[in-house]
């Protein structure tokens, strides 16, 4: 009888109805209670949403169970009337959408935005930066964003850069390393490089005693070493660039740099022997990729490359994995001064913290002293630059069956406030901005999740959220001055 009915209604000509019914049926099965019996037949529960549920989401599962009977009843009633008339496809689509909307409203309400956390400390010294922003249409405004592994992949920096470039202009991602450990998850630039580079870092090995640059890293080429950068079109302002700047110290005479833009024929420019930091500049409007090759072995210390334009805001992503911030003192003052004379930083953002919590008996007094020395040294090397210290975010530990704020976090935040006060710079309390005590639990449970289930690291959506909050706090401070 059903076959006759379906034939009469010519369901073959109604593929969207069939697909809609199939999706609706599978969706409904997900909400069936365990061991339900329909017409004497035991139906086993099949949860097609199982992989989307977290183990600790008992409250959300309870909401689903309370919702089961109502949604299933609605589907059965509606299916026995309107659906099988097959003359109301618009009603079918509307019904499916309305039931899904009800489900989402019931169990997937996003975490409400926490109250805005204003900048603290010496806000007035940010005038250097705010004055520079006024001229961003005609000149470069440059920000150095230092941090630990939370900055890897250009994650937080990319979203912050995008906010600034949307409002003040800018074209290009800014400073990039030669080799990197985060190439598989970078947000803005694809980086490929030969495996024969000799590298050094202030947080790792430097057996060759290489010079390091503004990012705390240095690279020495072998014969024919190369690196290639390709813009990822995620953000409009970093899809292409007009200028390539290569920062180096030349070790031999008569060397050269071979380059290719957008996969075109190779060209070359000279690399000069130098005692300090030099730069090679390549210009080509609307470039999307560049490959650099160094043919002479051990000819050059390369510190990094910048993809940019002549005006707008540029935020250099400078992550140091495993760093508490103290290792920045290993960058020579001469190097800092030389890079500042070339790049002219208007703002330095320092975002460290979690790596100081390596043990349960952290010596915060020593950390305060060492970070105070680091920032004091940076201020001497960047005399006309504003500084902003970002406090550590919430981190949870498991206490019985709950995840609560690590008690050491609050001690660290107070230590960071003391550092900002000692050095007379601005401070942003990320811990309070994300909701304060036990807020990490809410970030993990948010939809979509803002933090991973390790209750320590932000997801990409979480880094975006942080960048948006930081940008808002900075611009609010700008309006107040």
């Amino acid at each position: 009888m059903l076959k006759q009915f379906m034939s009469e209604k010519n369901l073959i000509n109604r593929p969207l109805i069939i697909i809609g019914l199939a999706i609706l049926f599978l969706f409904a099965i997900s909400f069936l209670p365990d061991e339900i019996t329909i017409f004497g037949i035991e139906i086993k529960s099949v949860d097609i949403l199982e992989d989307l549920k977290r183990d600790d989401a008992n409250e959300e599962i309870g909401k689903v169970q309370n919702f089961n009977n109502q949604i299933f009843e609605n589907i059965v009633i509606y299916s026995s009337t309107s659906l099988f008339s097959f003359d109301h496809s618009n009603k079918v689509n509307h019904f499916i959408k309305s039931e899904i909307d009800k489900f989402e409203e019931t169990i997937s309400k996003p975490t409400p935005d926490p109250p805005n956390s204003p900048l603290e400390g010496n806000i007035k010294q940010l005038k250097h930066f705010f004055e520079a922003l006024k001229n961003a249409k005609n000149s470069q405004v440059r920000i150095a964003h230092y941090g630990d592994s939370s900055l890897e992949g250009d994650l937080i920096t990319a979203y912050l850069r995008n906010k600034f470039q949307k409002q003040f202009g800018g074209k290009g991602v800014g400073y990039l390393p030669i080799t990197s450990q985060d190439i598989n998850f970078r947000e803005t630039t694809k980086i490929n490089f030969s495996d024969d580079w000799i590298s050094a870092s202030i947080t790792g090995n430097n057996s060759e005693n290489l010079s390091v640059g503004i990012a705390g890293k240095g690279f020495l080429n072998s014969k024919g070493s190369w690196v290639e950068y390709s813009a990822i079109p995620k953000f409009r302002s970093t899809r292409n660039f007009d200028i390539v700047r290569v920062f180096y110290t030349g070790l031999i005479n008569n060397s050269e740099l071979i380059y290719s833009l957008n996969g075109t024929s190779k060209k070359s420019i000279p690399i000069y022997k130098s005692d300090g930091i030099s730069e090679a500049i390549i210009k080509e409007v609307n470039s999307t990729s560049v490959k650099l090759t160094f043919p002479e072995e051990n000819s050059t210390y390369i510190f990094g490359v910048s993809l940019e334009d002549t005006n707008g805001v540029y935020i250099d992503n400078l992550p140091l994995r495993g760093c508490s911030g103290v290792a920045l003192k290993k960058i020579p003052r001469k190097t800092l001064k030389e890079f500042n004379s070339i790049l002219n930083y208007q703002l330095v953002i320092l975002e460290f913290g979690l790596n100081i919590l390596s043990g349960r008996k952290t010596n915060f007094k020593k950390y305060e002293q060492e970070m105070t020395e680091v920032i004091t040294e940076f201020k001497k090397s960047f005399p006309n630059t504003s500084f902003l210290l970002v406090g550590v975010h919430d981190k949870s530990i498991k206490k019985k069956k709950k995840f609560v704020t690590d008690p050491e976090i609050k001690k660290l935040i107070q230590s960071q406030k003391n550092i900002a006060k000692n050095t007379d710079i601005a401070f942003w309390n990320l811990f309070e901005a994300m909701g304060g005590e036990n807020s990490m639990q809410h970030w993990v449970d948010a939809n979509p999740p803002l933090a991973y289930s390790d209750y320590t690291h932000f997801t990409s959506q979480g880094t975006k959220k942080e960048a948006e909050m930081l940008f808002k706090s900075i611009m609010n401070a700008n309006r107040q001055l």
Side-chain angles (χ1 to χ4, degrees):
M1 184 175 179
L2 181 60
K3 288 183 178 180
Q4 181 181 358
F5 177 77
M6 295 175 66
S7 176
E8 289 174 358
K9 295 303 179 180
N10 194 14
L11 286 183
I12 300 302
N13 296 326
R14 303 278 188 168
L16 292 179
I17 297 296
I18 297 173
I19 293 172
L21 283 170
I23 294 174
L24 190 61
F25 179 71
L26 291 173
F27 189 71
I29 288 177
S30 298
F31 304 114
L32 288 177
D34 292 336
E35 300 180 355
I36 188 172
T37 301
I38 300 178
F39 302 124
I41 301 174
E42 183 178 335
I43 306 297
K44 293 186 179 296
S45 176
V46 178
D47 189 355
I48 63 172
L49 302 177
E50 183 177 6
D51 288 341
L52 300 180
K53 296 176 181 175
R54 291 182 293 276
D55 293 337
D56 59 344
N58 294 325
E59 181 180 352
E60 307 303 320
I61 294 172
K63 293 177 182 178
V64 173
Q65 291 172 341
N66 292 333
F67 191 60
N68 285 347
N69 293 336
Q70 183 61 53
I71 188 172
F72 188 68
E73 180 181 348
N74 291 345
I75 292 170
V76 171
I77 293 173
Y78 200 87
S79 297
S80 65
T81 56
S82 299
L83 282 178
F84 284 102
S85 70
F86 295 107
D87 292 325
H88 306 286
S89 59
N90 288 335
K91 290 183 179 180
V92 173
N93 292 334
H94 176 74
F95 175 74
I96 294 172
K97 184 179 184 302
S98 67
E99 291 301 319
I100 293 174
D101 288 344
K102 289 177 186 177
F103 171 71
E104 290 180 342
E105 289 175 5
T106 305
I107 66 169
S108 302
K109 290 182 180 179
T111 303
D113 287 342
N116 181 54
S117 180
L119 301 187
E120 306 172 32
N122 186 357
I123 311 298
K124 291 183 179 179
Q125 55 90 40
L126 291 173
K127 282 188 175 180
H128 294 298
F129 174 61
F130 294 143
E131 287 297 322
L133 280 181
K134 296 177 182 178
N135 300 314
K137 290 185 178 181
N138 302 312
S139 60
Q140 279 194 5
V141 179
R142 204 161 196 113
I143 302 170
H145 191 185
Y146 284 99
D148 51 32
S149 58
S150 64
L151 264 62
E152 285 191 328
D154 203 17
L155 288 171
I156 300 170
T157 311
Y159 292 110
L160 186 61
R161 182 191 302 114
N162 186 54
K163 297 290 288 186
F164 273 106
Q165 290 185 332
K166 272 186 174 181
Q167 184 163 336
F168 299 99
K171 183 180 179 182
V173 73
Y175 198 94
L176 292 165
I178 300 300
T179 71
S180 179
Q181 296 173 301
D182 62 2
I183 58 173
N184 292 324
F185 58 95
R186 289 192 70 88
E187 293 278 285
T188 49
T189 314
K190 181 179 179 181
I191 307 177
N192 291 314
F193 46 84
S194 58
D195 59 4
D196 53 1
W197 288 93
I198 301 171
S199 61
S201 172
I202 59 173
T203 59
N205 179 50
N206 190 3
S207 58
E208 301 289 333
N209 198 27
L210 270 62
S211 296
V212 296
I214 190 69
K217 300 174 182 178
F219 309 89
L220 177 64
N221 71 296
S222 300
K223 185 177 179 63
S225 294
W226 58 270
V227 59
E228 183 175 19
Y229 306 97
S230 301
I232 297 173
K234 179 171 183 175
F235 303 103
R236 181 179 296 275
S237 60
T238 54
R239 289 176 181 174
N240 48 44
F241 49 90
D242 293 349
I243 300 171
V244 180
R245 300 169 73 181
V246 183
F247 307 105
Y248 72 93
T249 294
L251 302 178
I252 63 174
N253 290 315
N254 302 320
S255 183
E256 65 177 350
L257 164 60
I258 298 174
Y259 69 91
S260 174
L261 291 164
N262 307 319
T264 59
S265 58
K266 297 178 181 179
K267 298 179 182 179
S268 67
I269 54 175
I271 294 292
Y272 301 102
K273 186 176 181 180
S274 57
D275 293 327
I277 312 299
S278 300
E279 64 174 318
I281 300 176
I282 303 166
K283 294 183 178 181
E284 184 69 36
V285 175
N286 293 329
S287 297
T288 58
S289 68
V290 59
K291 183 175 182 179
L292 308 173
T293 303
F294 298 85
E296 300 293 330
E297 183 175 8
N298 297 343
S299 63
T300 319
Y301 284 143
I302 308 294
F303 305 110
V305 173
S306 182
L307 309 180
E308 57 188 62
D309 197 3
T310 56
N311 64 305
V313 177
Y314 297 88
I315 307 185
D316 294 337
N317 176 248
L318 308 172
L320 290 162
R321 181 179 294 187
C323 184
S324 66
V326 174
L328 289 174
K329 63 184 178 182
K330 295 181 182 179
I331 304 177
R333 182 188 295 187
K334 178 176 181 292
T335 298
L336 292 174
K337 286 184 173 181
E338 285 186 286
F339 266 99
N340 190 47
S341 66
I342 295 172
L343 296 174
N344 188 26
Y345 286 108
Q346 279 81 36
L347 175 64
V348 173
I349 301 175
L350 300 163
E351 187 166 350
F352 297 95
L354 288 182
N355 288 300
I356 194 64
L357 299 176
S358 57
R360 308 317 306 159
K361 296 181 180 180
T362 302
N363 189 336
F364 291 110
K365 286 295 182 182
K366 181 179 180 182
Y367 180 66
E368 278 184 37
Q369 179 183 347
E370 292 182 323
M371 278 304 296
T372 297
E373 292 173 357
V374 167
I375 296 174
T376 300
E377 189 67 22
F378 264 72
K379 290 181 72 174
K380 291 177 181 178
S381 302
F382 299 77
N384 298 312
T385 303
S386 300
F387 283 81
L388 173 61
L389 179 64
V390 175
V392 68
H393 62 68
D394 190 27
K395 170 183 174 290
S396 297
I397 60 172
K398 194 167 186 179
K399 191 174 182 180
K400 294 183 179 179
K401 293 183 178 181
K402 293 183 178 181
F403 285 92
V404 298
T405 294
D406 185 335
E408 297 294 294
I409 288 291
K410 290 186 177 181
K411 297 177 184 178
L412 176 55
I413 292 171
Q414 184 56 55
S415 179
Q416 291 178 320
K417 287 183 177 182
N418 294 341
I419 292 167
K421 183 178 180 180
N422 294 340
T423 55
D424 201 29
I425 65 173
F427 177 76
W428 185 57
N429 195 332
L430 174 55
F431 176 82
E432 292 296 334
M434 64 184 290
E437 189 165 2
N438 300 331
S439 56
M440 180 58 77
Q441 177 75 65
H442 299 297
W443 280 52
V444 172
D445 291 340
N447 183 24
L450 301 177
Y452 292 107
S453 55
D454 65 356
Y455 292 84
T456 301
H457 297 95
F458 291 164
T459 63
S460 180
Q461 287 295 320
T463 61
K464 179 182 179 182
K465 184 72 173 177
E466 179 194 331
E468 290 172 344
M469 294 190 299
L470 177 55
F471 178 78
K472 182 178 180 180
S473 296
I474 291 174
M475 298 315 298
N476 283 344
N478 186 21
R479 285 186 286 270
Q480 293 171 7
L481 290 179

